[in-house]
Every structure is written in C-alpha cells, then in structure tokens.
Amino acid sequence: MSTYLKYTRVFKLGVQASLEYRLDFALTLVSAFFPILIQYYIWTAVYGQSETGEFFGYTYGEMILYTIVAAIVTKIVSTNMDHVIASDIKDGALNKHLVQPANYFGLKLFSMLGQKMFFLGTMLVILFMVLLYFTGLYDVRIPLANLICFVAAIGLSLILGFLISYTIAAIAFWLSEISYFFEMTGLFVIILSGGVFPIEVFGTTMNAILSYLPFKYTIYFPANVINGKLALHEIMNGLLMQGFWILMMLIVSKAVWRIGLKKYLGLGG
C-alpha cells in the first residue's frame, strides 16, 4: 500500500472515530462555554469600574470577543495526544508501530486531523455566528482578509499544538507515571498561549519572553487575527512565525523521540 493510501485511510478512521463518539463531542462543545460565561461576568465587572473603558489595549467588546474566540480556539487546538502517546509508551503498545511499515508520527498526526475535522467545522460555524452577533452589537468590523487568514492560522495552530503535545509526550520514555504532569503542563501551556487571558495581562517583560516561544502562536495569535487587533502585515508575519515554529518543533520532536527510543524497554505490549 502506498504512503498516501495509508495515511488517507488513517485520516478516514479518525473522522469515523469522531462521529462515533457524539456524546463526547457534545460534552466538549458544552464545556467550552463555561469558562466563557465566567470570564464574561469577570470582565463585565472590571470594565464597569473603568473610567477609560479600556484594559490592556482592549475595549470591552474586543475583550469579550477575544474571550469567546480564545475559548473556541483552545478547544480546536487541544489534541489530548500527549495522553494517548504516553499510554502507548507506558503500556508497550508502541511496539507494534515500531515494526509496522508506517511512521508512528504520521499515523498520530493524520489520526488527529481526522478526529478534528468534524469538530473544527462545527466550531467554525459557531464562531462565525458569534462574529455576526458582535458585528451588530459592538460594531466590531472584521475584514474578509482577516477571516481568510484566520482559517489558515487555525490550521497551522492545530499542527503546532500537535507537535508541542507530541514533544511533551516523549517524557513518558523517562517517567513511569505522568498523568498529573500532563495536567499541569497542559494548563501551563494554555495560560502561556493566551487561552485564559490575553498575554498582555502578563506585562511587557513576559510578553517579550513569550515572543521567543511557540505558545502564543497556537491561541493568542489566531484569536487576535479574527479580533481585528492585528494589521495585515502583522498577520503575515505571524503566519510565517507559525510556519517557523512548526519546522522547529518538528526538528525538536524528532530529536527528543530519537533519544527517548534508546531508553524504551517495550514492556507490556
């Protein structure tokens, strides 16, 4: 079987898996709106006390829109692949993949993309309905070029998020029990990515540090593309940075896995 047919079949299986677990999809969809609701009341109270009507460079409408978009983008780019891959390593299920004529990285990537397709389409429809609402309510204007760039940014964010998870999952080669570690790092990555608050909240110094890390390009950047906070040339630079970090994380993940496989005992599988 050709490489193309292999990964196409894996992609289709991923799509089927996402359609099979419809209850899980519904719960994931509902869970995305709880943090939005909490932050809505927080920011409404904060801006209600503001004399300027602006915090961290965001008006009230822009902040609420950022909160909604960031929550949706977080759900889109969160893959949960670190738990799946770590389980393969810990239980020895990785053994069969090492002897099969298919690349483990490719299998997990295309499986993840397949699983995300239906969810991605649904969330984008919900997001565009939100944008229409905000256009009328808060007079937020979003150029068509931003919408097109946003779709591109989401696709790149999904791949970048997968590479970050894939790299973190390699820690399972060295640690036997890492479920709590993944919960901690997962929350840490979401915060640094701007999934909870815009990264301007962390101050100038932290913003400068985050500019040299890939996290802001998974959530914060796509959210501000659609929020209208970035000029077109800044969006183009951001897309280039996403491509750069995808390449860098691909190199890093391959190196970490190459080292980790030397430690792998293959017990259990």
Side-chain angles (χ1 to χ4, degrees):
M1 184 184 294
S2 68
T3 302
Y4 172 77
L5 290 176
K6 275 185 218 173
Y7 294 130
T8 301
R9 183 166 295 179
V10 170
F11 178 84
K12 290 179 179 178
L13 289 172
V15 174
Q16 291 173 9
S18 68
L19 295 175
E20 181 179 353
Y21 297 102
R22 288 185 289 271
L23 179 59
D24 181 63
F25 168 78
L27 291 174
T28 302
L29 197 62
V30 171
S31 68
F33 293 96
F34 284 108
I36 293 175
L37 191 61
I38 293 170
Q39 289 199 59
Y40 169 79
Y41 286 112
I42 291 175
W43 288 120
T44 298
V46 169
Y47 277 88
Q49 303 298 319
S50 171
E51 296 180 358
T52 62
E54 191 172 293
F55 276 99
F56 309 109
Y58 292 78
T59 64
Y60 175 72
E62 289 172 341
M63 183 63 79
I64 297 300
L65 181 57
Y66 178 91
T67 298
I68 295 172
V69 175
I72 293 174
V73 173
T74 299
K75 289 297 181 181
I76 291 173
V77 303
S78 298
T79 64
N80 200 39
M81 274 293 168
D82 44 8
H83 292 275
V84 175
I85 295 170
S87 178
D88 285 348
I89 296 172
K90 180 181 176 181
D91 300 336
L94 182 61
N95 295 349
K96 62 182 179 183
H97 296 291
L98 296 178
V99 297
Q100 288 176 346
N103 183 271
Y104 182 75
F105 173 84
L107 291 175
K108 292 303 178 184
L109 175 61
F110 281 89
S111 176
M112 179 276 297
L113 291 175
Q115 291 173 25
K116 283 290 183 178
M117 279 303 100
F118 180 68
F119 184 77
L120 174 62
T122 304
M123 295 304 277
L124 287 179
V125 169
I126 293 173
L127 180 58
F128 287 130
M129 290 172 63
V130 169
L131 293 177
L132 288 174
Y133 175 76
F134 267 74
T135 298
L137 184 63
Y138 296 110
D139 197 31
V140 177
R141 302 298 174 186
I142 302 166
L144 179 60
N146 286 48
L147 294 175
I148 296 171
C149 291
F150 173 74
V151 175
I154 280 292
L156 294 173
S157 295
L158 185 56
I159 296 173
L160 180 57
F162 169 80
L163 287 169
I164 292 172
S165 294
Y166 188 80
T167 304
I168 293 174
I171 296 174
F173 285 117
W174 289 273
L175 301 177
S176 58
E177 183 51 56
I178 52 174
S179 57
Y180 293 109
F181 175 82
F182 283 151
E183 294 298 329
M184 180 182 67
T185 55
L187 180 59
F188 187 65
V189 167
I190 288 174
I191 292 173
L192 293 183
S193 301
V196 179
F197 305 108
I199 62 174
E200 285 87 354
V201 172
F202 302 127
T204 306
T205 303
M206 192 62 184
N207 265 283
I209 294 172
L210 290 175
S211 295
Y212 293 97
L213 298 173
F215 306 115
K216 66 180 285 185
Y217 295 100
T218 58
I219 299 174
Y220 171 82
F221 170 68
N224 273 325
V225 168
I226 204 71
N227 205 18
K229 296 289 290 181
L230 301 176
L232 190 57
H233 73 277
E234 293 176 309
I235 294 173
M236 292 297 108
N237 289 336
L239 291 172
L240 288 174
M241 287 302 297
Q242 282 186 307
F244 167 77
W245 278 114
I246 286 173
L247 179 60
M248 290 301 297
M249 290 306 302
L250 183 61
I251 294 171
V252 171
S253 65
K254 292 290 185 183
V256 171
W257 269 74
R258 193 176 299 113
I259 296 170
L261 284 172
K262 294 178 181 179
K263 302 282 187 180
Y264 182 59
L265 299 177
L267 302 177

